């Protein structure tokens, strides 16, 4: 697999990042990059942190996170909440989503997180099986939109790892 990185969305790459599209059948589960950015702008108390997912020098996805927020259910879930994860339909099933979640987990763990939460719309062809395969587990809770809340426990960084 090529090198996967998370990069800021800038004036130089904005058009390419906004062109990231999931399959039409997946839109009801994750929406669009434009919609995610608009939603983040409407909820600044969610402390949105977003990045483009790159494979080498090509944007292949997008991730939006609530950054160490004070939870205020049902509107604000956290403290660390994976708000959106999109991988372009042409680049799915190549490990980019899994690697992006790993990178996000590393970043938030380094900032004191012990878990990352996310939510997903239940349904056939929904993202829950993907999240479960990479280690998320249902919390038994649902959000205000009837989405299932999932948690990924983060192991503390090992003392021998170099960062």
């Amino acid at each position: 697999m090529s090198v996967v990185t998370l990069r800021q969305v800038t004036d130089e790459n904005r058009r390419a990042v906004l062109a990231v599209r999931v399959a039409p059948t997946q839109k009801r589960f994750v929406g669009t990059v434009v919609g995610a950015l608009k939603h983040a702008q409407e909820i600044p108390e969610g402390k949105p942190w977003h990045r483009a997912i790159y494979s080498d020098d090509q944007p292949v996805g997008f991730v939006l996170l609530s950054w160490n927020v004070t939870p205020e259910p049902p509107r604000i879930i956290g403290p660390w909440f994976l708000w959106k994860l999109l991988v372009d339909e042409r680049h799915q099933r190549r490990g980019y989503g899994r690697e992006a979640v790993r990178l996000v987990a590393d970043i938030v763990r380094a900032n004191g997180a012990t878990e990352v939460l996310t939510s997903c719309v239940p349904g056939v062809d929904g993202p829950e099986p993907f999240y479960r395969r990479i280690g998320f587990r249902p919390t038994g809770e649902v959000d205000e939109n009837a989405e299932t809340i999932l948690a990924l426990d983060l192991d503390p960084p090992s003392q021998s790892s170099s960062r």
Side-chain angles (χ1 to χ4, degrees):
M1 180 169 71
S2 55
V3 176
V4 176
T5 56
L6 301 177
R7 299 184 190 177
Q8 288 188 338
V9 178
T10 65
D11 290 341
E12 289 77 30
N13 68 1
R14 185 173 315 280
R15 175 180 250 141
V17 174
L18 293 177
V20 168
R21 298 273 188 272
V22 296
T25 57
Q26 296 171 325
K27 271 191 178 176
R28 75 182 184 102
F29 297 108
V30 296
T32 65
V33 175
V34 170
L37 289 171
K38 182 178 181 212
H39 197 200
Q41 195 171 34
E42 293 169 349
I43 307 176
E45 65 273 26
K47 296 184 184 175
W49 178 92
H50 61 273
R51 296 292 184 267
I53 303 167
Y54 270 75
S55 170
D56 294 327
D57 286 323
Q58 180 177 14
V60 297
F62 176 82
V63 63
L64 171 62
L65 182 76
S66 278
W67 187 270
N68 199 15
V69 297
T70 299
E72 295 177 26
R75 184 170 165 92
I76 305 295
I77 300 169
W80 303 93
F81 181 72
L82 181 60
W83 205 338
K84 291 288 179 184
L85 174 66
L86 295 87
V87 175
D88 189 279
E89 67 178 316
R90 298 164 297 169
H91 299 284
Q92 292 180 7
R93 302 198 182 277
R94 297 183 187 175
Y96 300 135
R98 180 180 62 246
E99 186 63 11
V101 170
R102 187 192 66 75
L103 291 169
V104 165
D106 287 348
I107 291 166
V108 302
R109 182 186 302 110
N111 282 276
T114 57
E115 75 176 358
V116 174
L117 300 172
T118 195
S119 66
C120 59
V121 175
V124 176
D125 297 327
E128 188 171 345
F130 162 77
Y131 286 121
R132 285 177 170 245
R133 278 193 307 275
I134 63 172
F136 280 85
R137 61 173 169 68
T139 65
E141 299 175 43
V142 294
D143 72 6
E144 66 182 339
N145 298 313
E147 293 186 13
T148 302
I149 298 177
L150 306 165
L152 176 65
D153 294 322
L154 303 177
D155 294 327
S158 68
Q159 299 297 342
S160 61
S161 70
S162 60
R163 254 201 136 344

